[in-house]
Amino acid sequence: MMGETPDLSHLSSLDYESIYEPAEDTFLFMDALLKDFESIKRLRPLVCLEVGCGSGAISAYLVKMLGPGAIYFCTDINDKATIATVKTGALNRVDLNPIQTDLVSALVPRLEGLVDVLLFNPPYVITPDEEVGGRGIEASWAGGARGRRVMDRFFPYVSELLSPCGIFYLVVIKENDADDIANCLSKFKLHMEVVLSRRSGQERLSILKFSRPYANKQA
């Protein structure tokens, strides 16, 4: 059912000691995807990819929204996250394909130019750089300087992965500097727009959308 939050009742507080527990950024992401549903639907996506899937909640939500017509890949560097995603898919009766890998290392170049919907809720919290690079739960939040160390490493892959009309959705906070991110990705001829923003405690969360300008005209 479109807009239905996935059932995560199989995950316990013990699981959430090892994987990211869905929080405000997760639910903002779901709301943004629902808001942008018509744009996504027009793509008739065949390949969807979530980077950093955690519990698998976002990918499960996307499948419930779009249906089974696409293949849904999910990646996470944390092996416990990929296991949780398998269980989330099974409980919600959706077909998810989680892969343990660093960002998209295991999928490039195989998926180059094929991804219609690309999702990333990155580790965006500002931390010392030495906290970046772990394989446990810290990989879900430790973003290093400006909260951008992992994001910046991923950005060059975006234009390689996206299909000609593909869309990339990214979660950021104000401190990540969305204008600078827009400038970085404009070098790959990707245009940014803000789909949705919301304050959560001291954080200002936003969901950014990137696509090629000519693709917007075709949509």
Side-chain angles (χ1 to χ4, degrees):
M1 182 184 297
M2 191 174 77
E4 181 184 356
T5 302
D7 184 353
L8 300 177
S9 60
H10 58 296
L11 298 174
S12 67
S13 57
L14 185 61
D15 292 306
Y16 292 133
E17 291 179 7
S18 303
I19 65 169
Y20 186 69
E21 182 175 1
E24 281 300 316
D25 51 0
T26 312
F27 301 116
L28 180 65
F29 210 156
M30 291 179 186
D31 290 345
L33 292 173
L34 183 59
K35 181 181 178 182
D36 218 33
F37 171 70
E38 291 299 331
S39 294
I40 300 171
K41 183 181 177 182
R42 281 196 296 270
L43 288 177
R44 297 181 181 177
L46 297 176
V47 178
C48 301
L49 169 61
E50 181 186 7
V51 179
C53 56
S55 66
I58 294 295
S59 284
Y61 182 84
L62 186 66
V63 183
K64 284 174 173 281
M65 191 175 80
L66 294 178
I71 184 168
Y72 297 86
F73 292 108
C74 324
T75 72
D76 206 295
I77 198 168
N78 181 349
D79 65 324
K80 291 181 174 61
T82 57
I83 292 168
T85 296
V86 169
K87 294 178 179 178
T88 296
L91 181 62
N92 289 273
R93 298 182 181 179
V94 297
D95 189 13
L96 301 179
N97 298 274
I99 300 160
Q100 184 188 1
T101 187
D102 179 17
L103 297 176
V104 291
S105 299
L107 297 174
V108 176
R110 189 165 40 132
L111 290 186
E112 284 184 5
L114 296 177
V115 179
D116 299 306
V117 180
L118 179 61
L119 312 172
F120 192 19
N121 184 356
Y124 53 68
V125 177
I126 297 171
T127 66
D129 280 349
E130 55 266 26
E131 293 185 14
V132 178
R135 291 177 173 267
I137 192 171
E138 71 281 357
S140 67
W141 53 264
R146 294 196 299 163
R148 289 272 300 274
R149 291 303 188 202
V150 178
M151 273 190 248
D152 287 343
R153 199 159 59 84
F154 178 67
F155 290 154
Y157 290 111
V158 174
S159 63
E160 294 180 27
L161 288 166
L162 286 181
S163 64
C165 293
I167 301 173
F168 170 45
Y169 294 94
L170 176 72
V171 181
V172 298
I173 56 173
K174 181 180 178 181
E175 291 77 8
N176 300 147
D177 195 346
D179 289 339
D180 183 63
I181 292 172
N183 183 56
C184 289
L185 287 172
S186 70
K187 297 172 184 176
F188 300 98
K189 299 181 178 178
L190 292 167
H191 167 77
M192 184 191 87
E193 60 183 282
V194 179
V195 180
L196 209 55
S197 293
R198 184 179 299 158
R199 182 163 292 283
S200 174
Q202 296 183 342
E203 292 179 336
R204 180 69 177 176
L205 291 160
S206 295
I207 308 298
L208 309 182
K209 172 184 174 180
F210 295 87
S211 59
R212 297 180 175 93
Y214 68 81
N216 291 331
K217 295 177 182 178
Q218 291 177 353

